[in-house]
């Protein structure tokens, strides 16, 4: 079965420090991976995605993610965290077992808390 | 201009009532989705329409019925509301039903069933 895991419910980091939000996946076939961010009482905003090619994907707001096929991971990173980055982050993978429906499977979310 | 919009933003109603949530996208996308986010923030797909055709219909009670009058609109009607239906419902759209097509989400509708 296709699945996504975000092993940390919460990540705490000091402003200015690098941050990493972890994601591992399990899919059949080629993985298509996404990161979204949800600010309080808002919808999800797309950050970046991996389709193919370069393992380091750059996205919005200075975020990037590293695809690692051998470790089946797609960790989200940022070199220098801002207080305004505090939000709920979701990793998602396309469900390759559902035909061409665009169905995404989401991880359980990781709350990022950036302290001044 | 709002890309994916939903109405209403908040919906408070009694058990047993019937309610609808509307979604509109002005991105010219072919595919639209409904997701449910529960109290633990877990997100799950409910339905998807591509060019007004239902292509995803997850294990959702048949009290939930999506309707797509045209490509730009996808509404969600819920009959006989139950306490467990309380959640945030998100609409999303994507250009195509592609392997890696990005989905863009609306602001959500917070449904509270009393």
């Amino acid at each position: 079965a296709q699945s996504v895991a975000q092993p940390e419910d919460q990540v705490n980091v000091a402003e200015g420090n690098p941050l990493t939000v972890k994601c591992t996946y399990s899919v059949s076939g080629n993985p298509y991976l996404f990161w979204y961010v949800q600010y309080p009482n808002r919808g999800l905003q797309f950050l970046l995605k991996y389709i193919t090619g370069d393992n380091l994907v750059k996205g919005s707001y200075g975020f990037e993610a590293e695809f690692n096929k051998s470790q089946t991971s797609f960790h989200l990173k940022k070199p220098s965290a801002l207080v305004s980055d505090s939000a709920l982050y979701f990793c998602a993978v396309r469900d390759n077992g559902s035909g061409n429906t665009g169905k995404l499977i989401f991880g359980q979310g990781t709350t990022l808390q950036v302290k001044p | 201009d709002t890309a994916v919009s939903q109405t209403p933003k908040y919906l408070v109603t009694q058990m047993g009532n019937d309610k609808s949530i509307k979604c509109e996208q002005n991105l010219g996308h072919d595919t639209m989705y409904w997701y449910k986010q529960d109290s633990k923030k877990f997100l799950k797909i409910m339905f998807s329409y591509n060019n007004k055709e239902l292509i995803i219909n997850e294990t959702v009670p048949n009290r939930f019925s999506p309707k797509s009058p045209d490509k730009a609109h996808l509404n969600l009607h819920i009959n006989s509301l139950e306490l467990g239906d309380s959640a945030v419902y998100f609409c999303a759209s994507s250009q195509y039903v592609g392997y890696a097509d990005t989905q863009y989400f609306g602001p959500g509708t917070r449904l509270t069933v009393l």
Side-chain angles (χ1 to χ4, degrees):
Chain A
Q2 333 276 321
S3 65
V4 178
Q6 294 179 240
E8 301 153 319
D9 287 338
Q10 181 155 330
V11 170
N12 298 311
V13 65
E15 188 173 32
N17 283 0
L19 70 87
T20 298
V21 183
K22 295 180 180 177
C23 172
T24 58
Y25 65 89
S26 173
V27 293
S28 56
N30 294 322
Y32 303 98
L33 297 152
F34 301 78
W35 274 102
Y36 284 85
V37 60
Q38 184 178 19
Y39 296 101
N41 299 314
R42 303 281 295 276
L44 277 74
Q45 294 181 31
F46 169 72
L47 284 177
L48 49 82
K49 66 183 177 185
Y50 172 81
I51 305 172
T52 186
D54 195 347
N55 289 342
L56 187 63
V57 179
K58 294 193 183 296
S60 307
Y61 314 121
F63 284 93
E64 56 191 28
E66 187 167 12
F67 171 68
N68 188 316
K69 188 172 182 178
S70 63
Q71 296 185 5
T72 60
S73 67
F74 189 54
H75 300 332
L76 181 70
K77 301 182 179 186
K78 188 173 182 180
S80 178
L82 300 172
V83 172
S84 56
D85 292 331
S86 298
L88 181 59
Y89 290 80
F90 288 99
C91 181
V93 66
R94 186 192 176 280
D95 183 355
N96 291 341
S98 66
N100 189 21
T101 64
K103 178 183 172 183
L104 292 180
I105 298 171
F106 283 85
Q108 65 268 44
T110 297
T111 299
L112 174 66
Q113 193 76 256
V114 181
K115 299 197 172 157
Chain B
D1 288 339
T2 305
V4 182
S5 59
Q6 296 178 228
T7 54
K9 189 167 183 180
Y10 300 97
L11 186 52
V12 181
T13 188
Q14 300 287 333
M15 265 197 319
N17 284 352
D18 303 338
K19 291 293 178 186
S20 291
I21 306 172
K22 296 186 176 182
C23 177
E24 177 181 2
Q25 54 94 3
N26 62 5
L27 298 167
H29 288 171
D30 286 348
T31 310
M32 297 184 73
Y33 310 80
W34 277 112
Y35 286 87
K36 180 179 180 180
Q37 186 175 46
D38 64 22
S39 58
K40 295 184 178 179
K41 306 293 186 183
F42 184 66
L43 265 169
K44 194 168 187 303
I45 184 82
M46 299 173 69
F47 302 104
S48 176
Y49 271 77
N50 181 51
N51 280 320
K52 301 197 296 174
E53 178 186 348
L54 183 66
I55 58 170
I56 296 176
N57 186 352
E58 291 291 291
T59 310
V60 176
N62 57 15
R63 299 182 294 103
F64 290 78
S65 53
K67 282 192 172 47
S68 182
D70 55 57
K71 282 196 324 181
H73 296 85
L74 180 61
N75 303 323
L76 183 64
H77 188 75
I78 315 170
N79 289 328
S80 304
L81 278 155
E82 300 178 358
L83 293 176
D85 298 331
S86 295
V88 181
Y89 292 85
F90 287 104
C91 177
S93 73
S94 63
Q95 179 78 59
Y96 306 110
V97 183
Y99 278 85
D101 211 31
T102 301
Q103 295 180 23
Y104 296 92
F105 284 74
T109 295
R110 183 175 294 274
L111 171 65
T112 303
V113 183
L114 304 175

